Amino acid sequence: MCSFRTTSLVVCFLIGIGMGCGAPESNGEFVARVGDAYLSAEELALALQDLHSFHDSTGARQQIIDQWITQELLYQEARARNLEQDENVRRQLEASQRAVLIDAYVQELYTEDIAPPSDSDLQSYYDLNR
C-alpha cells in the first residue's frame, strides 16, 4: 500500500509527463521532463562522465534519470509549499549560497595562472626581511 507522499509524487510525475508534448526550443533534446523542468541529453552525458562507478551505462543512465525525476518532484513540491519563505530554510539557503561561492572562489584561485616572482622581487623581499 502506497503512502500519501508516494501517491502525491506519482500523481505529480504523471501530471508532469502529461503537460505538453514538445520540449522548449531553447532546451534542445531532453531525456526527462517534470512539469516545466527538463533534463537535457547534454546534462545526462555530463552526469554519466562524472559518475565514478562500474555500473553498466544503461543502468547508470536510468539511475541518473530516476534520481533527477525524484529530486525535481521534491523540489517542485517544496516550492509549491513556499518553503523558501520559512526563516530557517532561508538561513540555510543563504549559508549554502555562501559556501558555494567561497568554494568557487577557492577553486578559481587554485587554477589561476600566477607568475613566479622576478629576481628583483626576490631580492627586494630578501632585503626587507633579513
Side-chain angles (χ1 to χ4, degrees):
M1 183 163 182
C2 293
S3 70
F4 177 74
R5 280 192 167 150
T6 303
T7 305
S8 296
L9 287 175
V10 170
V11 169
C12 288
F13 175 68
L14 293 174
I15 290 171
I17 289 175
M19 294 175 68
C21 293
E25 305 82 47
S26 62
N27 282 1
E29 184 183 344
F30 67 95
V31 293
R33 174 181 175 199
V34 176
D36 291 336
Y38 295 85
L39 176 62
S40 71
E42 181 179 332
E43 290 168 323
L44 177 59
L46 286 172
L48 283 168
Q49 256 182 356
D50 292 341
L51 192 63
H52 299 294
S53 170
F54 294 103
H55 292 110
D56 65 290
S57 61
T58 304
R61 174 185 163 92
Q62 190 58 50
Q63 183 178 7
I64 290 168
I65 292 170
D66 290 346
Q67 287 175 352
W68 181 88
I69 290 170
T70 300
Q71 292 295 312
E72 190 58 37
L73 286 169
L74 292 170
Y75 174 71
Q76 288 183 16
E77 184 62 25
R79 298 284 313 251
R81 293 178 184 215
N82 266 342
L83 291 179
E84 70 269 12
Q85 299 305 317
D86 180 271
E87 188 58 38
N88 192 28
V89 173
R90 290 174 81 148
R91 276 195 303 273
Q92 290 178 30
L93 287 170
E94 289 171 8
S96 294
Q97 181 181 24
R98 182 179 172 94
V100 168
L101 286 171
I102 290 169
D103 185 56
Y105 176 64
V106 169
Q107 292 302 316
E108 190 175 286
L109 285 176
Y110 282 124
T111 59
E112 217 172 68
D113 231 4
I114 300 174
S118 67
D119 289 342
S120 63
D121 289 338
L122 289 173
Q123 186 62 48
S124 296
Y125 178 83
Y126 177 77
D127 291 342
L128 291 171
N129 296 292
R130 286 186 182 203

